[in-house]
Amino acid sequence: MSSDSPTSGFVAFVGAGPGDPNLLTLRAAELLAKADAVVLGDEEHRPLLRHCREGVEVVEDDLVKRAKHGQLVVRLCEGDPMLFSSITEEVAACTAAEVDFEIVPGVPPATAVLTYAGIPAASAVPEFRVVDAAQEQDWAAHAACRGTLVIYNGIGDAVAIGKALIAGGKPDTTPVAVSSGGTTTEQYTVVSSLGRLQPDLKHAGFTEPALIVVGEAVGLRDKLSWFETKPLFGWRVLVPRTKEQSRSLSEQLVAYGAVPEEVPTISVEPPRTPQQMDRAIKGLVTGRYEWVAFTSANAVKAVREKFEEYGLDARAFAGLKVAAVGDATAQALVEFGVKPDLLPSGEQSSEGLVAEWPPYDSMLDPINRVLLPRADISTDTLVAGLTELGWECDDVTAYRTVRAAPPPAPIREAIKGGGFDAVLFTSSSTVRNLVGIAGKPHNVTVIAVIGPQTAKTAEEFGLRVDVMADKPSASALAAAVAEYGAKQRQAALAAGDTPRRPSQNRRGARRRAR
């Protein structure tokens, strides 16, 4: 049928893909964005609802009835709708009711999970066979497969299937890989052989959905594995920041294979007395200041919101010199339309900014005043340094930082019980506030800090600092944790051990190979 939206309702049977929500097809995302109702098919498909418009209905049935009433209904199907995910009866019901329908292919686990496990679908022998163990199979016939054999729904009978393939003529040394949680950060793969399936799978704890892959292509996993070998693969990482600040950091952690969990520890609120900021903005416009110094992205946001309140924009900075304490603050200014004149080339801190700030010169500087919009809990380092250089500072409270509400009980228990592999502290206040609202992280948890001052605060709370960023930025902090994880992994492999996440080292943690 035409890809144009019909005037009446219709049903779209959409392949949800193999597990990673980012492997959804463009057509599937387009239909979800237009959907009036969605049938999930599996609770694990719920993350795909992010493509839907607000107010979409999540329903369990009545596809035909809803379509008859003019609704676009998306029925999400496991993997690919036409591969071991029968929709025959539902399609027949649409046909009988004269309801239009569309079937959108999805990325099938048969190829995607293999790719994520580092196993080529077909290598030296160009034969690729996919079978469903839930249906009666002639394993002797499948033993004749010279290429790669992929088996769905066979994990409960894996040992028996292995024996049947050997009985059918497959050598017992034939490589086998069993992978569950495919294409997600829960992916877990065990490499064995047909003859060793029983001992190798005995304590693995596999559950469906899982795939069994049989063939020589499995032997290439050591060279081609790219997903499970990411430096922080499967690490559950706590990001205690404000919600506005954590997004880019979380995206970077995901790229390293981690599972970030954002726990707000700081809430940013307007100052109790806004008159001080009102006067500062008016002074900025009327030429009271020579410089404006920003020490955080939140300060930029606070000034920007005041500008919008007064109907101003970045042009009001014309003739002013602007300083930023670090890269993140500078980026916030650039997004506002302001290019900083001064950014520390060394340490990105108040001290680093003072070290490069020019002294006041009455011959060169017509005005000797600096506007400093900051948080209510900022230190006096910058004010003292600028005063020594001959400048006068208007130190203005642009925003307040207050402790956020405690996280849900399961998060608190995971923090104190060692359920997190790492926690990233981006300021001293995140240390104080996290401990205050949730307790101290378990001693197996890797403690990573953004700089020396944050490290000092963490140690004052009795925390062992494992990682420190080489420069005070959230991006550098994430990179430092990834480097730490990579070194831990390499050390384990060099010692002949299986790499383990920090949380797997706590007492009672489930032990399994990755």
Side-chain angles (χ1 to χ4, degrees):
M1 64 175 288
S2 168
S3 61
D4 296 333
S5 296
T7 54
S8 59
F10 81 113
V11 177
F13 297 93
V14 170
D20 181 349
N22 293 316
L23 294 181
L24 194 71
T25 66
L26 291 173
R27 179 58 177 158
E30 179 187 2
L31 288 167
L32 282 168
K34 296 176 180 178
D36 298 301
V38 177
V39 179
L40 287 178
D42 191 302
E43 192 61 29
E44 291 184 0
H45 297 155
R46 191 166 288 276
L48 299 180
L49 294 177
R50 71 171 189 250
H51 297 285
C52 299
R53 59 189 175 183
E54 193 173 341
V56 69
E57 286 187 85
V58 179
V59 299
E60 294 184 4
D61 48 29
D62 292 336
L63 283 73
V64 171
K65 184 178 178 182
R66 288 175 177 275
K68 280 281 193 183
H69 283 84
Q71 287 193 343
L72 164 53
V73 184
V74 170
R75 159 79 157 88
L76 289 170
C77 308
E78 197 76 39
D80 187 314
M82 301 292 273
L83 182 64
F84 304 148
S85 177
S86 178
I87 53 173
T88 306
E89 290 184 9
E90 291 169 276
V91 169
C94 290
T95 303
E98 297 183 339
V99 167
D100 288 336
F101 65 89
E102 176 178 347
I103 302 175
V104 180
V107 178
T111 53
V113 174
L114 270 64
T115 300
Y116 273 55
I119 302 169
S123 54
V125 179
E127 182 180 3
F128 183 64
R129 189 180 300 188
V130 184
V131 299
D132 183 3
Q135 302 175 25
E136 189 173 343
Q137 297 291 342
D138 179 0
W139 294 110
H142 294 312
C145 176
R146 296 176 59 244
T148 304
L149 175 64
V150 177
I151 304 169
Y152 277 60
N153 300 314
I155 195 62
D157 298 314
V159 174
I161 290 171
K163 290 178 179 177
L165 290 172
I166 293 171
K170 272 283 190 205
D172 61 1
T173 55
T174 303
V176 179
V178 182
S179 191
S180 68
T183 75
T184 74
T185 49
E186 292 298 314
Q187 182 165 311
Y188 165 43
T189 304
V190 167
V191 174
S192 180
S193 64
L194 287 178
R196 285 197 51 82
L197 278 176
Q198 185 160 5
D200 288 348
L201 298 184
K202 187 174 182 180
H203 300 293
F206 281 114
T207 57
E208 295 288 3
L211 290 185
I212 302 171
V213 187
V214 182
E216 298 301 327
V218 172
L220 296 173
R221 173 175 156 81
D222 287 343
K223 294 180 180 178
L224 300 179
S225 182
W226 62 275
F227 184 56
E228 293 174 60
T229 54
K230 287 188 174 188
L232 299 178
F233 182 76
W235 281 40
R236 190 181 178 194
V237 179
L238 182 66
V239 183
R241 308 188 71 193
T242 63
K243 202 70 175 175
E244 294 78 12
Q245 293 174 312
S246 57
R247 184 176 302 166
S248 60
L249 177 56
S250 292
E251 288 173 355
Q252 188 176 353
L253 290 168
V254 168
Y256 293 134
V259 184
E261 292 196 38
E262 300 169 4
V263 176
T265 57
I266 300 171
S267 178
V268 176
E269 298 182 1
R272 286 194 175 89
T273 53
Q275 294 84 357
Q276 191 182 28
M277 266 290 279
D278 291 336
R279 287 195 298 270
I281 298 300
K282 289 176 183 174
L284 187 151
V285 174
T286 56
R288 175 178 170 81
Y289 303 106
E290 179 78 5
W291 282 90
V292 183
F294 290 97
T295 56
S296 72
N298 281 324
V300 177
K301 182 172 181 281
V303 169
R304 187 171 184 171
E305 287 174 351
K306 274 292 178 185
F307 268 39
E308 291 170 356
E309 191 179 313
Y310 283 105
L312 300 170
D313 57 30
R315 288 174 293 184
F317 282 97
L320 279 163
K321 295 172 187 172
V322 178
V325 76
D327 293 334
T329 305
Q331 181 60 36
L333 281 166
V334 170
E335 290 171 1
F336 186 16
V338 179
K339 184 179 179 181
D341 299 283
L342 179 62
L343 183 68
S345 57
E347 181 182 341
Q348 297 192 345
S349 64
S350 294
E351 291 85 351
L353 195 56
V354 168
E356 297 185 35
W357 197 288
Y360 171 68
D361 187 329
S362 59
M363 299 295 290
L364 298 174
D365 302 307
I367 305 166
N368 76 332
R369 194 171 295 277
V370 178
L371 173 60
L372 192 56
R374 299 193 296 167
D376 57 332
I377 57 171
S378 295
T379 62
D380 296 326
T381 305
L382 187 54
V383 174
L386 294 181
T387 303
E388 275 191 35
L389 291 169
W391 296 94
E392 290 186 20
C393 295
D394 278 2
D395 194 11
V396 176
T397 299
Y399 62 95
R400 290 183 301 126
T401 54
V402 299
R403 184 178 291 177
I411 297 289
R412 298 199 303 272
E413 290 163 8
I415 291 170
K416 292 184 283 189
F420 284 100
D421 297 290
V423 55
L424 275 55
F425 289 116
T426 54
S427 66
S428 291
S429 56
T430 56
V431 178
R432 288 190 290 268
N433 289 344
L434 182 73
V435 173
I437 65 176
K440 286 171 57 175
H442 193 279
N443 60 14
V444 299
T445 306
V446 172
I447 305 297
V449 298
I450 202 166
Q453 187 59 49
T454 307
K456 181 180 177 184
T457 305
E459 288 163 355
E460 287 172 356
F461 278 89
L463 300 176
R464 176 201 68 251
V465 174
D466 302 293
V467 179
M468 187 187 300
D470 58 4
K471 63 178 183 178
S473 75
S475 177
L477 179 58
V481 176
E483 183 180 358
Y484 177 91
K487 286 180 178 177
Q488 294 291 306
R489 176 182 177 81
Q490 289 162 4
L493 292 172
D497 297 330
T498 300
R500 294 164 56 78
R501 301 192 307 276
S503 62
Q504 292 175 310
N505 295 321
R506 72 189 191 279
R507 183 175 297 176
R510 182 181 181 185
R511 293 173 177 264
R512 73 177 187 181
R514 277 200 172 270

